[in-house]
Amino acid sequence: SGLDSCRRRAKDAAHALQQMMLKDDENAVAWIESTHTGFHMQRSPLDVSEQLKQIIETQKAAWIFTSATLAVGDNFAHFTQRVGLTDPEVLKVDSEFDYARNSMLYVPTNLPEPSDESYTERVVELSVQLLSSLKGGAFLLFTSYRALNIAKTILEREALPNRQLLVQGEQPRDELLRRFRKDGRGVLLGTSSFWEGVDVRGSALGMVVIDKLPFASPGDPLLQARLDAMRKQGGNPFMDYQLPTAVLSLKQGVGRLIRDATDRGLCVICDPRLYSKAYGRMFLQSLPPMPVERDLRVVRRFAKGLPP
C-alpha cells in the first residue's frame, strides 16, 4: 500500500508538471517560488469570468453578491466584469453610520512623495504627534513589510508612554487583536492581513493611519501577466485594473475604523497623491462620507475629543 501511494503521488506530480509546462494557454501564468526548504510551482488563471458565467447560467436561481467593497465610486463594473455578470441589477446602499459627526479624514499637507527615502520615517513622526493627542488605541497600516519594520524600529526607540506596541508577525493575529482590545491604548502595526476582516469596536480603536495608497506590487508575476494580457487586448491596465483594485483595498483599510453606530474615530491617509494626482479623486469619491481636514491643529483637537 505504501508503494501504491507513492505511485499515485508520482503520477499526480507528473500530471501537475505537464500542466505547468503548457505554453498554449494564454489565460494562465505559471511561476516558481523558492523557499529555504524547497520550491513551489504555481499556475493561476488570468481571467475566470467565463467559467463563473457558465456556473451562474446553469443554476436556475437568483444570485446576490453583497459587500461593502464592490463599487468603485458608484460603479460596479470592476467586480461584475470579473465574475462574468452580464447586465446585472445593481444597488448601492449608503451606510447607516453617521460619518459626518463621528469621524474625520486627515490628509497631511507636508509629507514628501512616497518614493522619498524619508517617507516612512515622516509618517511615523506624524503618527507619534497624533498619538499624543489620542486617548484610545491606533492601527498603523502599511503597504509593505519593509515600511512596517522601519516603523517598528522607530517606535521601539521612541518608547511610547503608557502604550503597548503590537507588531504583526510577532504573535498570531487573534492574539494581537485580543491584547489590543484589552489594552485600550495599544498601537498595532500591520500590513495586508489587517486591512480587512478585522473588527475592533469601541474606544479601543480611535485612529487608523494608512501610509500609502495600496497599489499592488508590480513585481507580482500574476499581476504582471494580467496587465500584459490587458495591453494585448487594447485595454488600459492602470485604469481598468490597478486603480480600481487599489481603491477597493483602501476602502477595506479605512473600513477598520467605524464598526458600530456609536464608534468615533480619526482616519489618516498620509499619501499626498490623493491630491497631487488626478486619480486621487477616485479614491476620495469611493470612501465613506468623512469630513476631510488638512489642518493638523484642527485634527489634534478632534483627536483629543475622542473617548478614552
Side-chain angles (χ1 to χ4, degrees), residues 73-222:
D74 292 324
N75 192 331
F76 289 84
H78 178 72
F79 172 77
T80 59
Q81 291 172 3
R82 280 155 184 77
V83 296
L85 300 179
T86 304
D87 193 27
E89 294 184 28
V90 298
L91 174 66
K92 182 181 177 184
V93 180
D94 292 334
S95 172
E96 63 177 1
F97 300 155
D98 190 350
Y99 287 98
R101 295 183 60 184
N102 294 341
S103 67
M104 178 179 286
L105 173 60
Y106 176 42
V107 183
T109 59
N110 59 347
L111 290 180
E113 289 296 309
S115 57
D116 190 286
E117 289 185 0
S118 66
Y119 182 77
T120 299
E121 183 177 351
R122 295 281 300 279
V123 167
V124 176
E125 289 174 356
L126 173 64
S127 301
V128 171
Q129 287 187 58
L130 294 171
L131 284 168
S132 67
S133 302
L134 187 74
K135 302 182 185 74
F139 278 3
L140 274 57
L141 302 179
F142 298 91
T143 54
S144 70
Y145 281 100
R146 178 179 180 274
L148 181 146
N149 288 325
I150 292 173
K152 174 190 173 184
T153 300
I154 297 172
L155 291 174
E156 286 178 339
R157 187 174 65 237
E158 289 280 341
L160 298 171
N162 302 317
R163 288 188 182 276
Q164 181 178 195
L165 182 63
L166 303 166
V167 183
Q168 177 181 336
E170 294 187 348
Q171 289 180 311
R173 189 173 82 158
D174 288 348
E175 176 61 17
L176 288 173
L177 289 171
R178 185 194 67 79
R179 293 177 61 187
F180 182 85
R181 293 187 184 101
K182 182 179 179 181
D183 185 274
R185 282 176 52 82
V187 177
L188 191 150
L189 311 185
T191 57
S192 56
S193 65
F194 281 89
W195 286 61
E196 57 186 64
V198 173
D199 190 9
V200 178
R201 305 188 181 201
S203 60
L205 179 59
M207 180 172 71
V208 170
V209 179
I210 293 174
D211 72 330
K212 297 179 184 179
L213 300 179
F215 289 105
S217 170
D220 178 76
L222 184 55

Side-chain angles (χ1 to χ4, degrees), residues 275-294:
Y275 282 94
S276 66
K277 301 294 185 182
Y279 59 72
R281 290 194 299 272
M282 184 175 292
F283 285 96
L284 292 170
Q285 291 168 0
S286 299
L287 295 178
M290 298 177 170
V292 180
E293 182 56 62
R294 309 208 69 189

